[in-house]
Amino acid sequence: MEIKVNYLDNLRLEARFDDFTVISDQPIRYKGDGSAPGPFDYFLASSAMCAAYFVKVYCNARDIPTENIRLSQNNIVDPENRYKQIFKIQVELPEDISDKDRQGIMRSIERCSVKRVVQNVPDFQIEVVENLDEDAQALLMAEPEEGANTWIEGKDLPLEQTITNMTRMLESLGMQIEIASWRNIVPHVWSLHIRDAHSNMCFTNGKGSTKESALASALGEFIERLSCNFFYNDQFFGEAIAHSEFVHYPDEKWFQPGPNDELPAGILDEHCRDFYDPDGELRGSHLIDTNSGRTDRGIVALPFVRQSDGEAVYFPSNLIENLYLSNGMSAGNTLAEAKVQCLSEIFERAVKRQIIEEEIALPDVPRAVLEKYPRILEGVEALEKQGFPVLVKDASLGGDYPVMCVTLMNPRTGGVFASFGAHPSFEVALERSLTELLQGRSFEGMNDFMPPTFNSLAVTEPNNFVEHFIDSSGLMSWRFFSARSDIDFVEWDFAGTNEEEAATLFGLLEALDLEVYVAVHEDLGAPVCRILVPGYSEVYPVEDLIWDNTNKALLFREDILNLHALDDQQLSDLLERLDDSQIDDHEDIITLIGVEFDENTVWGQLTILELKLLINLALGQHEEALERVEMFLQFNDNTVERGLFYQAVNAVLEIALDDELELNDYLENFQRMFGEATMAAVVGSVNGEVRFHGIEPTSMQLESLERHQRLIDSYSKLHAHRAARAVPAAAVNA
């Protein structure tokens, strides 16, 4: 994690990281102002708070109340060496907690991250650099030993060279990549989380049977998501980039919808139009991109090569963003390697969807076959020893597709988690199923899985597959667990060279009468491909282009960002559009308009319901405001401070709407209950003197929105790199 420190007045310091700011000071006796804890005080407090956190996690998982649990820490200093200290943590537990849970709580404290880092003696590397912002030395891992070459199946370069190459690519962009966490809870299963230190919204997870393979996986995924703009999928790029010569890629083309909002000629082909617009309802305005919002410029579309004849077909970026998410994108050491990974992922998701929605009972992989892969078997048995039954299944549907499945059951909660993996190699597909199962998870994390159901409607509901795609947290059918499988086991093998494997996988799609479209990006130095298979690789239903398109942001973004500058008529118009849109009142404003706010601010927690409520207050619509504040208090999970504000608003509105009540009769006790500052804001909000309490003013220039500005900074590095490499004639509009 990157922490940047700024000097404030006197001895006060400001540390900024992620979306947080921490202020430190020194005691008056050390010539400080005593306005905040000192840096060492924060360090001491961190271990106590970390220990308390792990106690809370343990208790929450077992429904143990923590109201009567108390924890303290004392630091005993060695009189001969003040840097040698004993951290003595004591826990007071209620008498009714069982001996088993007492031991469990003590073990949970042992897992404290701060404690473990201190015990492992962190290494401090101190250096002078010319410019902090330009220094992008990630130091992801120690330099590999000279001559070290670790080859794994499916990769065209050794892991060490892959890691070095990809790290250099990211450094050349000026991106400082940091490792946020490692996981290795069973043998031969590693995962890690990496992110851009400057913009932590840009992150990926990697997995593998070794530390190196997991890191290579995470770096590859980071580069694929940069190359395909996935990190910025539905985000506003800001006005500077929106008005650049190109917005996404130098070879993009722009198309104007017809005079009656018809789809323009030049985008998609006949096959795609039949699929994406079966009823002729799709309009040009549905395909304006969210990132630029340039309705005046039209539809921005990106070239993909149709595999059946090599012709270029232009796909609106909006369509890709709305339907495919990250499905079908991959980076590789070679283009063939990238294509194999990309196609494997497409088969993994499509076959997984078919199995879940058709409630297919898969065959077990025989023990004799598993024994051919001792490292994988060791990981499975380690999970079994921890009390998690594991089912290893052949998901190839009779040897037709290169897909495997590892399913974990949690007897403690009744939840299950089915993890799928795909690759032309049986072993690699099986390994990916296991590593995907444990990617970024602790044993406590196994408690979050949903129990199976016999409710077929719940399993086949489209959003269930979306949940499975995002984090595999969706529902599974009990029919999946039948001992009588619907399909026979096949010990399949599609393996060959990467070129041969890619040809085989393309052949499988051709046999299904599917058209395939491929875009290749090599400008970052690594071949990255994105593959679209209409009718097979979508994550969201095609109807979303019309009924739930992300570019609904364009109806609201400018007005919401300029909220404080709108007059009453403009506010009324905004409120009417929000009501007419039928968007869920509990959707957050971040999602609606594609702008990242600090989640610790009112903006960051703001929902459509609360925005409507605040507009009602600003317009003096007290009856509507009272109705919405009651809904807010019943359903909204906001901060305690915000909840109390609306409790007070609710009470004051009740008085304002009752002819027999007078606010002055209650104001003194309201102030004692909620505080004078809160009541001043509440009364001002109800009488119209205070508008949009707690929401800081901003505009389309995104001033003071540091979190989103960091995201734009990240994309600007990528945009500038593409602009520098572009041939000027490449950015030609249609």
Side-chain angles (χ1 to χ4, degrees), residues 149-163 166 207-210 212-221 224 330-342 344 422-425 428 431-432 496-499 501 527:
N149 286 310
T150 305
W151 293 87
I152 62 173
E153 188 173 2
K155 297 297 180 184
D156 289 329
L157 282 177
L159 288 175
E160 293 82 1
Q161 189 61 51
T162 301
I163 292 168
M166 291 184 173
K207 58 185 183 292
S209 60
T210 66
E212 292 79 9
S213 61
L215 177 56
S217 166
L219 289 169
E221 188 172 283
E224 94 189 17
S330 184
N333 292 298
T334 63
L335 183 56
E337 181 187 312
K339 287 180 176 178
V340 169
Q341 172 58 26
C342 197
S344 296
H423 190 270
S425 161
V428 174
E431 179 186 283
R432 286 182 177 175
T497 65
N498 275 317
E499 288 79 5
E501 291 174 355

Side-chain angles (χ1 to χ4, degrees), residues 220-235:
E221 188 172 283
F222 202 97
I223 287 173
E224 94 189 17
R225 295 187 174 200
L226 279 178
S227 292
C228 297
N229 283 358
F230 179 74
F231 289 137
Y232 324 100
N233 201 39
D234 51 7
Q235 304 287 350

Side-chain angles (χ1 to χ4, degrees), residues 454-728:
F454 279 112
N455 184 343
S456 297
L457 288 176
V459 172
T460 58
E461 200 270 328
N463 276 340
N464 188 47
F465 174 68
V466 174
E467 294 298 322
H468 275 286
F469 177 87
I470 294 171
D471 60 6
S472 296
S473 64
L475 282 169
M476 293 293 297
S477 171
W478 268 121
R479 294 173 177 84
F480 174 85
F481 295 91
S482 173
R484 186 189 308 162
S485 62
D486 296 319
I487 302 166
D488 292 334
F489 169 75
V490 175
E491 191 174 358
W492 50 267
D493 183 20
F494 297 88
T497 65
N498 275 317
E499 288 79 5
E500 292 168 342
E501 291 174 355
T504 298
L505 297 177
F506 277 122
L508 292 177
L509 293 171
E510 185 179 356
L512 293 171
D513 292 325
L514 294 166
E515 193 69 80
V516 181
Y517 303 82
V518 180
V520 176
H521 306 287
E522 297 183 289
D523 57 295
L524 297 187
V528 174
C529 68
R530 185 165 201 170
I531 298 178
L532 307 178
V533 187
Y536 197 71
S537 65
E538 292 80 24
V539 176
Y540 286 102
V542 170
E543 304 83 66
D544 279 6
L545 290 174
I546 297 171
W547 301 111
D548 194 22
N549 196 302
T550 57
N551 76 1
K552 62 181 179 286
L554 307 184
L555 299 173
F556 307 107
R557 180 188 290 154
E558 186 170 359
D559 279 349
I560 290 175
L561 289 175
N562 289 314
L563 190 64
H564 294 77
L566 301 184
D567 60 30
D568 286 356
Q569 183 57 54
Q570 291 169 320
L571 285 174
S572 295
D573 291 343
L574 173 58
L575 183 59
E576 184 177 353
R577 277 182 280 125
L578 286 168
D579 284 334
D580 291 344
S581 70
Q582 298 184 332
I583 301 170
D584 186 349
D585 270 352
H586 300 290
E587 182 170 314
D588 57 67
I589 297 301
I590 290 174
T591 302
L592 175 64
I593 66 173
V595 173
E596 290 290 334
F597 300 98
D598 180 348
E599 64 182 16
N600 303 299
T601 64
V602 176
W603 271 119
Q605 297 289 321
L606 191 65
T607 62
I608 291 173
L609 173 63
E610 186 178 359
L611 177 60
K612 290 178 178 179
L613 165 55
L614 290 170
I615 294 174
N616 288 145
L617 289 172
L619 295 175
Q621 298 171 346
H622 291 168
E623 290 184 2
E624 295 88 342
L626 180 60
E627 182 180 342
R628 286 193 166 114
V629 80
E630 289 171 347
M631 290 175 60
F632 179 93
L633 292 172
Q634 184 175 359
F635 298 110
N636 200 285
D637 182 20
N638 209 307
T639 63
V640 172
E641 179 183 2
R642 203 68 176 165
L644 289 171
F645 170 77
Y646 283 114
Q647 282 186 41
V649 168
N650 187 75
V652 172
L653 284 172
E654 292 272 17
I655 293 172
L657 292 168
D658 192 321
D659 293 336
E660 297 181 2
L661 298 177
E662 292 290 339
L663 179 59
N664 287 336
D665 295 338
Y666 298 87
L667 190 57
E668 181 180 351
N669 282 326
F670 282 171
Q671 290 171 338
R672 295 178 69 186
M673 172 72 80
F674 301 109
E676 292 186 8
T678 297
M679 284 312 302
V682 168
V683 173
S685 296
V686 173
N687 66 27
E689 294 175 359
V690 175
R691 290 161 74 95
F692 312 112
H693 170 64
I695 297 180
E696 294 296 323
T698 186
S699 73
M700 288 288 284
Q701 302 305 315
L702 306 171
E703 60 269 23
S704 77
L705 301 184
E706 183 180 347
R707 181 175 172 85
H708 196 82
Q709 291 287 2
R710 291 202 304 268
L711 188 69
I712 293 176
D713 288 346
S714 171
Y715 184 66
S716 296
K717 296 170 185 175
L718 192 60
H719 191 269
H721 174 82
R722 290 172 180 159
R725 292 174 56 91
V727 177

Side-chain angles (χ1 to χ4, degrees), residues 52-114:
Y53 162 76
F54 278 97
V55 172
K56 184 71 171 177
V57 169
Y58 179 91
C59 292
N60 283 354
R62 293 156 181 82
D63 293 324
I64 299 172
T66 55
E67 288 83 359
N68 296 318
I69 295 176
R70 298 199 301 163
L71 183 146
S72 71
Q73 173 181 296
N74 287 290
N75 299 82
I76 304 170
V77 181
D78 187 325
E80 296 182 1
N81 181 357
R82 66 189 181 96
Y83 299 115
K84 183 178 180 181
Q85 299 190 15
I86 297 172
F87 287 28
K88 189 170 185 177
I89 297 174
Q90 297 176 311
V91 188
E92 180 184 309
L93 301 174
E95 292 183 1
D96 60 352
I97 290 184
S98 67
D99 289 340
K100 179 182 178 182
D101 284 328
R102 287 172 182 268
Q103 294 172 11
I105 287 171
M106 296 304 290
R107 284 197 302 271
S108 73
I109 294 175
E110 289 294 329
R111 298 183 57 247
C112 167
S113 306
V114 176

Side-chain angles (χ1 to χ4, degrees), residues 17-28:
F17 54 94
D18 296 344
D19 295 324
F20 301 101
T21 299
V22 174
I23 305 294
S24 74
D25 199 350
Q26 293 292 336
I28 294 173

Side-chain angles (χ1 to χ4, degrees), residues 236-434:
F236 179 41
F237 286 166
E239 294 194 322
I241 291 176
H243 288 81
S244 298
E245 185 175 5
F246 70 90
V247 173
H248 300 267
Y249 300 94
D251 60 354
E252 67 192 23
K253 286 188 178 181
W254 292 78
F255 300 83
Q256 282 293 336
N260 296 311
D261 204 17
E262 302 97 336
L263 297 183
I267 64 167
L268 305 173
D269 57 17
E270 186 176 352
H271 171 76
C272 290
R273 288 192 179 221
D274 288 343
F275 175 70
Y276 297 123
D277 187 24
D279 301 318
E281 296 180 339
L282 190 63
R283 305 264 69 89
S285 56
H286 291 133
L287 300 177
I288 303 297
D289 74 305
T290 310
N291 310 109
S292 74
R294 291 289 304 277
T295 54
D296 60 316
R297 198 173 179 186
I299 300 167
V300 59
L302 313 175
F304 282 71
V305 174
R306 188 168 57 208
Q307 292 304 285
S308 60
D309 59 7
E311 290 294 317
V313 177
Y314 279 82
F315 282 74
S317 68
N318 169 285
L319 182 149
I320 300 168
E321 166 194 311
N322 271 281
L323 301 185
Y324 293 96
L325 294 185
S326 64
N327 197 23
M329 59 174 71
S330 184
N333 292 298
T334 63
L335 183 56
E337 181 187 312
K339 287 180 176 178
V340 169
Q341 172 58 26
C342 197
L343 291 165
S344 296
E345 183 180 82
I346 288 172
F347 279 112
E348 173 194 320
R349 271 66 182 270
V351 171
K352 175 180 181 178
R353 182 174 200 154
Q354 181 181 350
I355 290 166
I356 291 171
E357 293 185 349
E358 296 180 11
E359 301 175 281
I360 297 172
L362 298 177
D364 292 320
V365 176
R367 174 79 183 192
V369 175
L370 283 179
E371 288 175 349
K372 297 179 182 180
Y373 313 107
R375 294 194 311 169
I376 296 173
L377 184 57
E378 187 179 354
V380 170
E381 289 177 340
L383 284 172
E384 294 268 4
K385 288 178 182 177
Q386 290 290 332
F388 300 104
V390 176
L391 307 175
V392 182
K393 302 278 190 178
D394 168 24
S396 69
L397 301 182
D400 291 343
Y401 306 104
V403 186
M404 297 297 293
C405 175
V406 174
T407 300
L408 178 143
M409 298 187 288
N410 188 347
R412 301 183 186 108
T413 64
V416 299
F417 177 32
S419 173
F420 290 74
H423 190 270
S425 161
F426 185 98
E427 180 180 8
V428 174
L430 181 55
E431 179 186 283
R432 286 182 177 175
S433 298
L434 180 61

